PDB file of all heavy atoms in Angstrom:
ATOM      1  N   GLU A  73       8.089  11.940   7.614  1.00 86.00           N
ATOM      2  CA  GLU A  73       9.495  12.326   7.517  1.00 86.00           C
ATOM      3  C   GLU A  73      10.300  11.143   6.964  1.00 86.00           C
ATOM      4  O   GLU A  73      10.055   9.999   7.344  1.00 86.00           O
ATOM      5  CB  GLU A  73      10.033  12.702   8.904  1.00 86.00           C
ATOM      6  CG  GLU A  73       9.479  14.024   9.420  1.00 86.00           C
ATOM      7  CD  GLU A  73       9.741  15.184   8.480  1.00 86.00           C
ATOM      8  OE1 GLU A  73      10.884  15.323   8.012  1.00 86.00           O
ATOM      9  OE2 GLU A  73       8.794  15.933   8.189  1.00 86.00           O
ATOM     10  N   PRO A  74      11.269  11.392   6.085  1.00 80.00           N
ATOM     11  CA  PRO A  74      12.049  10.285   5.504  1.00 80.00           C
ATOM     12  C   PRO A  74      12.756   9.464   6.575  1.00 80.00           C
ATOM     13  O   PRO A  74      13.159   9.984   7.613  1.00 80.00           O
ATOM     14  CB  PRO A  74      13.060  10.999   4.600  1.00 80.00           C
ATOM     15  CG  PRO A  74      12.422  12.306   4.276  1.00 80.00           C
ATOM     16  CD  PRO A  74      11.641  12.683   5.498  1.00 80.00           C
ATOM     17  N   TRP A  75      12.901   8.182   6.287  1.00 70.00           N
ATOM     18  CA  TRP A  75      13.439   7.188   7.215  1.00 70.00           C
ATOM     19  C   TRP A  75      14.944   7.025   6.979  1.00 70.00           C
ATOM     20  O   TRP A  75      15.390   6.889   5.853  1.00 70.00           O
ATOM     21  CB  TRP A  75      12.716   5.866   6.934  1.00 70.00           C
ATOM     22  CG  TRP A  75      13.070   4.707   7.779  1.00 70.00           C
ATOM     23  CD1 TRP A  75      14.064   3.809   7.558  1.00 70.00           C
ATOM     24  CD2 TRP A  75      12.422   4.287   8.973  1.00 70.00           C
ATOM     25  NE1 TRP A  75      14.069   2.860   8.528  1.00 70.00           N
ATOM     26  CE2 TRP A  75      13.072   3.120   9.419  1.00 70.00           C
ATOM     27  CE3 TRP A  75      11.351   4.767   9.714  1.00 70.00           C
ATOM     28  CZ2 TRP A  75      12.688   2.419  10.563  1.00 70.00           C
ATOM     29  CZ3 TRP A  75      10.967   4.075  10.848  1.00 70.00           C
ATOM     30  CH2 TRP A  75      11.632   2.923  11.267  1.00 70.00           C
ATOM     31  N   GLY A  76      15.718   7.048   8.041  1.00 71.00           N
ATOM     32  CA  GLY A  76      17.122   6.662   7.945  1.00 71.00           C
ATOM     33  C   GLY A  76      18.028   7.684   7.288  1.00 71.00           C
ATOM     34  O   GLY A  76      19.110   7.324   6.827  1.00 71.00           O
ATOM     35  N   VAL A  77      17.591   8.953   7.216  1.00 73.00           N
ATOM     36  CA  VAL A  77      18.433   9.987   6.606  1.00 73.00           C
ATOM     37  C   VAL A  77      18.449  11.216   7.513  1.00 73.00           C
ATOM     38  O   VAL A  77      17.648  11.337   8.430  1.00 73.00           O
ATOM     39  CB  VAL A  77      17.925  10.378   5.201  1.00 73.00           C
ATOM     40  CG1 VAL A  77      17.995   9.200   4.257  1.00 73.00           C
ATOM     41  CG2 VAL A  77      16.516  10.952   5.264  1.00 73.00           C
ATOM     42  N   GLU A  78      19.367  12.127   7.221  1.00 74.00           N
ATOM     43  CA  GLU A  78      19.452  13.371   7.985  1.00 74.00           C
ATOM     44  C   GLU A  78      18.158  14.179   7.837  1.00 74.00           C
ATOM     45  O   GLU A  78      17.658  14.351   6.721  1.00 74.00           O
ATOM     46  CB  GLU A  78      20.609  14.232   7.453  1.00 74.00           C
ATOM     47  CG  GLU A  78      21.981  13.794   7.938  1.00 74.00           C
ATOM     48  CD  GLU A  78      22.164  14.032   9.432  1.00 74.00           C
ATOM     49  OE1 GLU A  78      21.814  15.118   9.928  1.00 74.00           O
ATOM     50  OE2 GLU A  78      22.636  13.105  10.112  1.00 74.00           O
ATOM     51  N   PRO A  79      17.597  14.678   8.956  1.00 72.00           N
ATOM     52  CA  PRO A  79      16.394  15.509   8.854  1.00 72.00           C
ATOM     53  C   PRO A  79      16.616  16.692   7.916  1.00 72.00           C
ATOM     54  O   PRO A  79      17.654  17.337   7.957  1.00 72.00           O
ATOM     55  CB  PRO A  79      16.168  15.983  10.291  1.00 72.00           C
ATOM     56  CG  PRO A  79      16.835  14.951  11.147  1.00 72.00           C
ATOM     57  CD  PRO A  79      18.021  14.467  10.356  1.00 72.00           C
ATOM     58  N   GLY A  80      15.645  16.919   7.058  1.00 74.00           N
ATOM     59  CA  GLY A  80      15.724  18.046   6.136  1.00 74.00           C
ATOM     60  C   GLY A  80      16.506  17.767   4.869  1.00 74.00           C
ATOM     61  O   GLY A  80      16.558  18.619   3.973  1.00 74.00           O
ATOM     62  N   SER A  81      17.118  16.580   4.763  1.00 76.00           N
ATOM     63  CA  SER A  81      17.931  16.291   3.574  1.00 76.00           C
ATOM     64  C   SER A  81      17.098  15.786   2.397  1.00 76.00           C
ATOM     65  O   SER A  81      17.582  15.724   1.272  1.00 76.00           O
ATOM     66  CB  SER A  81      19.018  15.258   3.913  1.00 76.00           C
ATOM     67  OG  SER A  81      18.432  14.014   4.255  1.00 76.00           O
ATOM     68  N   GLN A  82      15.836  15.413   2.661  1.00 81.00           N
ATOM     69  CA  GLN A  82      14.937  14.944   1.608  1.00 81.00           C
ATOM     70  C   GLN A  82      13.549  15.538   1.846  1.00 81.00           C
ATOM     71  O   GLN A  82      13.205  15.861   2.972  1.00 81.00           O
ATOM     72  CB  GLN A  82      14.791  13.418   1.647  1.00 81.00           C
ATOM     73  CG  GLN A  82      15.960  12.616   1.165  1.00 81.00           C
ATOM     74  CD  GLN A  82      15.620  11.120   1.196  1.00 81.00           C
ATOM     75  OE1 GLN A  82      14.459  10.743   1.167  1.00 81.00           O
ATOM     76  NE2 GLN A  82      16.638  10.297   1.256  1.00 81.00           N
ATOM     77  N   PRO A  83      12.755  15.646   0.774  1.00 86.00           N
ATOM     78  CA  PRO A  83      11.363  16.045   0.968  1.00 86.00           C
ATOM     79  C   PRO A  83      10.604  14.984   1.768  1.00 86.00           C
ATOM     80  O   PRO A  83      11.007  13.815   1.813  1.00 86.00           O
ATOM     81  CB  PRO A  83      10.806  16.126  -0.461  1.00 86.00           C
ATOM     82  CG  PRO A  83      11.987  16.086  -1.368  1.00 86.00           C
ATOM     83  CD  PRO A  83      13.088  15.398  -0.626  1.00 86.00           C
TER      84      PRO A  83
END
Side-chain angles (χ1 to χ4, degrees):
E73 289 303 313
W75 181 272
V77 297
E78 281 292 314
S81 65
Q82 287 183 23

